[in-house]
Amino acid sequence: MSTSPTFFETTTTTARFPQVSPIARVAIGGMAVIALTYVYIIFTFDVPRGLLALPAVMTAAGALIATGKRWAAIPAALLLVVNVVIETPLIVNWHLHDVETTNAVISNVVLLPAAGLVTAAAVIAYTVQSYRGCSLELGRLGRAGIVVVVGAVLGGSLIALLPHYGATSRVSIAAVESLEPSVVMGESLFRDEEMRVAVGETVQWRVLNADAIGHTFDIDALGIHMTLGGGESGLVMFVADRAGSFEFNCRVPGHEDMKGTLVVQ
């Protein structure tokens, strides 16, 4: 008699299952991956260092699972909920909108959701085996699911590494770099916090990111959005077709102080 494939296969046992079961190891490893990814994000994107408390607590929650306590996975589950609350607005409002730096896509859009999915499944399984006195092992669907997740991480990372073609893709890089920089970003600030142009002028600016970390250059009112990695520069061209004062800024989280004003008169 054949049985349908399941995500986990259950084996009852009268003996106390090992303190660190295979499912527990998956949960611990997943928490470690999420914690390390957050550390990378915090230091790469100049996020407030106070957020280092999150990966520290995640590491502690992963270590707690190794104690074998029945309730040990509950703190990890709560932290995974916090992870979803933090990541969902970033993915929807930032990464999938107009910020396309490779390291941001790989870490926030690909790696964290994938690690969170696998870890959540492991945490739930560990809790079930703890309270039901059984040992859970990966079934056919479980093994297939891991293959799919690993494939998604690798595929998503490769896609993120592909060149992004935009408005400047037909402009010679050498030609752009021969221009004097008009907008310079350095030490997470704009060199000039006020720029002035005339009404009706065709503006041609070379935007230079002199920092080692990524920044964006955005003028929402004029529909201008540019993403630059560390040390990169790009060309912005637009017609200043109406008078007024328009804010330009960097939309990377933690860079709220990077802003200035474009005055068209």
Side-chain angles (χ1 to χ4, degrees):
M1 179 178 176
S2 62
T3 59
S4 59
T6 58
F7 198 89
F8 292 110
E9 294 175 351
T10 306
T11 304
T12 58
T13 178
T14 55
R16 187 176 184 273
F17 46 82
Q19 190 175 37
V20 183
S21 65
I23 294 299
R25 289 196 291 269
V26 172
I28 294 169
M31 295 297 288
V33 169
I34 295 173
L36 289 173
T37 304
Y38 270 122
V39 170
Y40 171 78
I41 291 170
I42 289 169
F43 284 99
T44 300
F45 299 106
D46 197 23
V47 176
R49 298 295 187 264
L51 288 179
L52 283 171
L54 181 57
V57 174
M58 284 191 167
T59 301
L64 184 62
I65 295 175
T67 65
K69 303 292 185 182
R70 283 188 170 188
W71 49 267
I74 296 177
L78 294 176
L79 285 171
L80 289 174
V81 172
V82 172
N83 181 59
V84 171
V85 171
I86 292 175
E87 276 302 300
T88 301
L90 283 177
I91 293 173
V92 174
N93 299 323
W94 186 45
H95 298 298
L96 300 186
H97 183 208
D98 56 13
V99 176
E100 299 177 352
T101 56
T102 299
N103 50 5
V105 173
I106 292 176
S107 60
N108 292 63
V109 180
V110 178
L111 186 56
L112 276 180
L117 180 64
V118 171
T119 307
V123 165
I124 293 171
Y126 176 82
T127 304
V128 169
Q129 78 169 13
S130 296
Y131 282 92
R132 295 189 62 182
C134 59
S135 178
L136 295 179
E137 299 178 357
L138 286 175
R140 290 168 55 190
L141 288 182
R143 291 190 291 271
I146 288 181
V147 171
V148 169
V149 171
V150 172
V153 170
L154 294 177
S157 300
L158 289 174
I159 291 173
L161 290 170
L162 292 175
H164 295 284
Y165 297 98
T168 63
S169 61
R170 294 186 178 90
V171 178
S172 166
I173 295 177
V176 172
E177 293 182 346
S178 69
L179 300 173
E180 284 295 321
S182 301
V183 179
V184 179
M185 296 176 279
E187 298 181 354
S188 294
L189 294 171
F190 286 99
R191 180 186 64 186
D192 300 310
E193 295 185 350
E194 182 177 282
M195 306 287 291
R196 291 180 175 270
V197 299
V199 176
E201 179 182 350
T202 298
V203 180
Q204 177 179 281
W205 285 344
R206 178 190 171 196
V207 182
L208 171 64
N209 176 12
D211 281 338
I213 60 177
H215 291 301
T216 72
F217 177 68
D218 300 273
I219 309 178
D220 291 338
L222 302 180
I224 296 172
H225 304 286
M226 173 181 284
T227 300
L228 296 172
E232 293 182 347
S233 64
L235 182 67
V236 168
M237 293 186 66
F238 63 95
V239 176
D241 56 359
R242 63 185 188 275
S245 296
F246 310 100
E247 181 181 271
F248 57 84
N249 55 46
C250 172
R251 301 183 65 171
V252 174
H255 296 186
E256 289 77 12
D257 292 335
M258 288 187 66
K259 57 186 177 182
T261 303
L262 168 63
V263 178
V264 182
Q265 59 184 11

